[in-house]
Amino acid sequence: MTKGKVLVLGSNATRVEVQGGYADIGQYLNETVVPVMALIAAGYEIVLATPDGGKPTIDPVSDSPMHFGDDVAAHERARAFYESDPSMNAVLSLGAVIEQGLDQFAGLFVPGGHAPVVDLMQDADAGAILRHFHRASKPTALLCHGPIALIAAMAQAPAFRAALIAGDEAGARKLAGDWPYTGYRMTIFSASEEAFVEEHVFKAKMHFEMPQALGIAGGSVIVTPVDFAPHVVTDRELITGQNPGSDHGVAKALIEALGRANA
């Protein structure tokens, strides 16, 4: 017997649009594995689902002890877990999860890396899943770039994303009127943190900033002025973490929220 099931929404994206072309991306290893391992240790069963049912690609930038406090052993355990644990390999499609029924899940978790900016942000099934968890007030946790997936909960998410890329802020605001997370306090990878990635990893600029996107949608975005410092914001059922260093904090907050919900 477990305490319940937690649905993990993964991404299948491996490239993101940047100004002048594309950059190779994926899902971050620590942002996926640290919360998942904590959930399993706390007694929860994990179901991993992605838009097409394929296992997410790990961003090579994240496959480093640096993201595990420079603990080589912790990094190796995380990599082994992601490669071989059944919870990370029995991947379903988002459509299949919806067909099987969302009431079976106690909570939802969306890890980051830049990948959610590409597919989850505008995926209709992801939007249906988010709206279900919102209506049911079930714990919903998203980490780093993961919170951008919240955009999928609006009816015209693909058009909203296209307006952001086109620099049409007024048009994007008009498309966001039905967003269920309007007024929620939340955090996401900051503009200054993104600038570091743009300069040192992508060598190119993104088309829009993550806090800007959530703010245009109607969120009350709060970021820490200290780049890459752990930062977690909780508002009602929503739990968001700002950056890779917020992995343990998001895991703790989600487990505590699940405990309160099941009390």
Side-chain angles (χ1 to χ4, degrees):
M1 291 291 293
T2 68
K3 291 181 180 178
K5 293 182 180 180
V6 174
L7 178 60
V8 177
L9 292 194
S11 169
N12 297 122
T14 58
R15 295 199 310 164
V16 66
E17 306 100 315
V18 294
Q19 294 181 23
Y22 290 85
D24 293 333
I25 54 161
Q27 196 166 288
Y28 258 45
L29 178 63
N30 69 300
E31 294 177 19
T32 304
V33 170
V34 168
V36 165
M37 291 179 72
L39 285 162
I40 291 173
Y44 292 93
E45 180 182 348
I46 298 298
V47 175
L48 174 60
T50 63
D52 69 12
K55 187 175 180 178
T57 296
I58 293 298
D59 191 325
V61 173
S62 73
D63 193 4
S64 165
M66 176 183 68
H67 293 290
F68 297 86
D70 291 321
D71 186 332
V72 173
H75 171 231
E76 291 177 350
R77 285 193 299 271
R79 180 191 286 172
F81 178 88
Y82 190 75
E83 289 176 353
S84 62
D85 193 85
S87 69
M88 297 288 93
N89 289 281
V91 188
L92 300 175
S93 70
L94 301 187
V97 166
I98 292 171
E99 288 179 7
Q100 292 177 11
L102 297 174
D103 288 335
Q104 64 180 304
F105 297 105
L108 176 67
F109 171 57
V110 184
H114 285 79
V117 181
V118 180
D119 55 5
L120 293 184
M121 179 182 183
Q122 57 182 336
D123 186 272
D125 287 336
I129 290 168
L130 285 160
R131 289 190 295 271
H132 171 89
F133 279 84
H134 172 72
R135 288 192 300 267
S137 296
K138 291 184 177 179
T140 301
L142 310 96
L143 178 58
C144 197
H145 286 80
I148 203 66
L150 294 169
I151 296 300
M154 64 176 65
Q156 299 187 69
F160 178 89
R161 183 178 185 276
L164 291 178
I165 291 174
D168 182 8
E169 181 175 329
R173 289 187 186 279
K174 291 179 181 178
L175 294 164
D178 64 338
W179 197 47
Y181 299 100
T182 296
Y184 272 66
R185 291 182 299 107
M186 60 188 68
T187 192
I188 194 167
F189 203 62
S190 73
S192 55
E193 290 168 335
E194 197 75 83
F196 178 89
V197 175
E198 290 169 336
E199 179 180 355
H200 297 283
V201 181
F202 291 167
K203 313 298 184 184
K205 290 189 68 64
M206 297 278 286
H207 283 288
F208 58 88
E209 297 171 353
M210 302 304 114
Q212 172 199 29
L214 291 183
I216 291 171
S220 177
V221 184
I222 308 160
V223 296
T224 174
V226 182
D227 285 352
F228 302 105
H231 182 224
V232 177
V233 174
T234 299
D235 188 350
R236 288 158 279 187
E237 83 277 9
L238 188 66
I239 300 161
T240 50
Q242 180 171 322
N243 47 40
S246 305
D247 51 0
H248 289 281
V250 164
K252 182 176 183 290
L254 176 55
I255 291 167
E256 290 174 350
L258 289 165
R260 290 192 298 271
N262 295 329

